Amino acid sequence: MFKYKTISGDTWDMIAYKVYGDCKYITKLIEANIDKIETVVFSANVEINCPELATEQATDKLPPWKR
């Protein structure tokens, strides 16, 4: 797990895109930061826990015969 420090105006989907390159990982971020679940727009310098993605998720974009 690593940390991300927000900039003013960050939202969950923006953070997921910045950290993982895709908004679909928003749920993983929220689950790792359940204490901040009610925050919609972050102020600056809030530390967000960012869980490492499992290696199997990295293969989601491979064709079926290479998975």
Side-chain angles (χ1 to χ4, degrees):
M1 188 165 305
F2 59 96
K3 304 274 186 187
Y4 169 80
K5 274 199 176 182
T6 61
I7 59 170
S8 183
D10 271 348
T11 58
W12 290 109
D13 58 334
M14 289 171 64
I15 296 168
Y17 186 79
K18 288 177 184 178
V19 172
Y20 300 119
D22 199 325
C23 297
K24 71 181 180 183
Y25 299 111
I26 188 172
T27 305
K28 292 215 178 276
L29 282 177
I30 292 172
E31 288 172 351
N33 297 279
I34 203 72
D35 59 321
K36 298 171 182 71
I37 195 166
E38 295 196 13
T39 305
V40 177
V41 179
F42 288 92
S43 56
N45 297 318
V46 176
E47 283 194 354
I48 302 294
N49 295 317
C50 302
E52 300 290 336
L53 297 178
T55 55
E56 65 185 348
Q57 290 174 339
T59 63
D60 286 349
K61 297 182 183 195
L62 292 175
W65 62 88
K66 287 190 173 183
R67 290 184 197 163

